[in-house]
Amino acid sequence: MEIKTIKRIAVLTSGGDAPGMNAAIRATVRAGFFYNLEMYGIFRGYEGMIQNDIKKLESKHISHILERGGTILKSARSQEFRTPEGRKKAFENLQKHKIDGLVVIGGDGSLTGAHLFYKEFGIPAIGIPGTIDNDLAGTDLTVGFDTACNTAIEAIDKIRDTATSHDRLFFVEVMGRDAGFIAINAGIGSAAAATLIPEKKMPIERLVERLKARTKAMKQSNIVIIAEGGKSGGAAEIAEKIKKQLPYYDIKVTILGHLQRGGAPSSLDRVLASKLGVAAVEGLMQGKYDVMAGVINNKVVYTPIAKAIVGHKEVDEYDFHVVKILST
Ligand code: ATP
């Protein structure tokens, strides 16, 4: 494949925001400056690309953002970018600014958009996995996942205080869409009584048996973690079903929700985002197009976007084994 000379790179964040996106923006822009490139920021993801919300970035724009949650470039979900007409408008705007390289920070949807865009217009594009869901193949971890797990565990620790004081049974719903990565980590890290993830079926009867056994064993508190995309429903639905079978329990439901997206990125997310920002710029300069930069076994790797979005990453069987053993 022909390696194009890259002079101007634009970076955007798209889809659900994730802690560490700012660190990824900073690393991308700093790496660009290191290689004497001009760097541009596209605001509000693909929506901003269509509306020409594109600005040249200077050093001052990215100072003191490494440690901040959210994304200074803002994020959005763009329906128009899903249409060929929308993507054509977006491409014309990139041409106006003479942008010849694109870094997309986002989840599987955002990377699907980048893949299509590359196929249609041939503009060198590279992805950085930025999503709390950790549901992308081609990387052990996505930017934002570790912080989201820390936030969930910290919140569950607090819930445990009230659960213990009142002998309550709590159902805590965590994010992750149809992937159970946050749930399984929160389950292990917060000593949950049970963890329900979309990837594994747990019949309600088995959950009831587990809770009865824990009551017999005089366990001080019971916290059940439910992944939001679970097949048996969310925390509220499951709590309702359990209430009917265990009426003596004081049952409460907490949905952690968007809390898990916010906050300063953890050290792990800062380092991951920084490595991937540098890798994205260097990848573009080396002619690695239509790929996602990721980290596998602590080494930076480039995976074709088509593979990263299709290859389903499974929750590790051993993690599931550990959560099962430790919650009985
Ligand atoms: P998260 O996993 O955090 O939700 P995401 O990147 O998967 O992040 P999506 O809402 O799925 O979030 O996608 C973000 C944006 O990417 C969409 O709003 C749309 O503009 C673009 N996009 C997603 N899928 C496609 C597609 N098939 N074709 C073109 N663009 C797409």
Side-chain angles (χ1 to χ4, degrees):
M1 192 206 313
E2 181 206 352
I3 300 181
K4 299 181 183 171
T5 306
I6 307 270
K7 290 192 179 131
R8 293 180 171 194
I9 293 178
V11 55
L12 63 86
T13 48
S14 164
D17 63 311
M21 279 184 160
N22 276 330
I25 295 167
R26 169 190 178 262
T28 302
V29 175
R30 282 234 179 285
F33 290 160
F34 180 84
Y35 290 112
N36 295 317
L37 308 178
E38 285 184 34
M39 300 301 291
Y40 285 74
I42 302 173
F43 290 78
R44 294 175 294 111
Y46 293 125
E47 199 57 27
M49 213 198 273
I50 291 169
Q51 290 172 14
N52 199 19
D53 197 357
I54 302 172
K55 290 186 184 70
K56 191 171 179 197
L57 296 175
E58 293 166 29
S59 206
K60 66 176 182 202
H61 295 121
I62 49 141
S63 70
H64 294 296
I65 65 164
L66 168 72
E67 67 277 24
R68 280 168 54 192
T71 156
I72 56 155
L73 293 177
K74 299 194 178 285
S75 192
R77 302 192 199 264
S78 169
Q79 280 311 321
E80 206 179 343
F81 194 77
R82 291 176 183 270
T83 66
E85 300 75 34
R87 292 195 292 275
K88 186 163 173 286
K89 258 197 235 171
F91 180 65
E92 285 164 0
N93 286 330
L94 292 189
Q95 282 187 310
K96 278 183 205 155
H97 294 274
K98 296 196 173 67
I99 282 158
D100 45 26
L102 187 63
V103 175
V104 173
I105 305 167
D108 59 342
S110 305
L111 298 191
T112 305
H115 174 60
L116 273 181
F117 199 59
Y118 174 76
K119 284 212 328 200
E120 285 172 356
F121 301 103
I123 179 158
I126 200 160
I128 294 179
T131 166
I132 63 168
D133 303 337
N134 200 32
D135 57 349
L136 280 161
T139 190
D140 289 338
L141 297 170
T142 57
V143 172
F145 169 67
D146 181 62
T147 309
C149 288
N150 288 340
T151 304
I153 286 172
E154 202 182 310
I156 296 164
D157 283 349
K158 289 176 178 158
I159 290 168
R160 186 174 294 286
D161 290 345
T162 173
T164 313
S165 305
H166 290 271
D167 290 331
R168 281 175 175 149
L169 167 59
F170 265 90
F171 288 84
V172 180
E173 186 176 300
V174 299
M175 277 187 164
R177 298 234 274 202
D178 50 5
F181 293 99
I182 297 180
I184 205 93
N185 272 265
I188 296 172
S190 67
T195 304
L196 274 64
I197 59 170
E199 295 87 342
K200 297 266 180 200
K201 246 188 127 146
M202 182 188 284
I204 292 294
E205 299 70 42
R206 195 165 350 131
L207 180 56
V208 169
E209 285 316 310
R210 168 101 43 102
L211 292 169
K212 279 184 180 165
R214 288 178 62 94
T215 310
K216 254 196 197 153
M218 310 283 278
K219 294 279 182 193
Q220 296 245 331
S221 61
N222 280 306
I223 293 179
V224 178
I225 311 281
I226 316 272
E228 66 178 349
K231 292 183 182 74
S232 324
E237 266 175 279
I238 292 174
E240 209 44 54
K241 288 179 194 160
I242 295 289
K243 209 175 207 145
K244 286 189 189 127
Q245 304 206 42
L246 301 175
Y248 47 87
Y249 261 121
D250 181 11
I251 294 180
K252 300 284 176 206
V253 174
T254 301
I255 294 170
L256 294 185
H258 287 81
L259 182 89
Q260 294 156 97
R261 290 194 182 277
S266 65
S267 124
L268 197 153
D269 273 329
R270 292 180 197 201
V271 174
L272 177 67
S274 301
K275 281 185 183 177
L276 296 184
V278 172
V281 171
E282 290 182 340
L284 284 177
M285 293 172 73
Q286 292 159 11
K288 295 188 170 86
Y289 310 148
D290 197 19
V291 296
M292 182 194 84
V295 166
I296 295 181
N297 294 333
N298 218 20
K299 289 270 170 273
V300 168
V301 290
Y302 298 93
T303 303
I305 291 181
K307 268 196 183 166
I309 53 180
V310 173
H312 191 64
K313 188 158 77 183
E314 298 285 338
V315 166
D316 195 78
E317 273 299 320
Y318 196 73
D319 288 2
F320 195 69
H321 175 66
V322 169
V323 86
K324 213 160 89 182
I325 286 185
L326 298 181
S327 56
T328 44

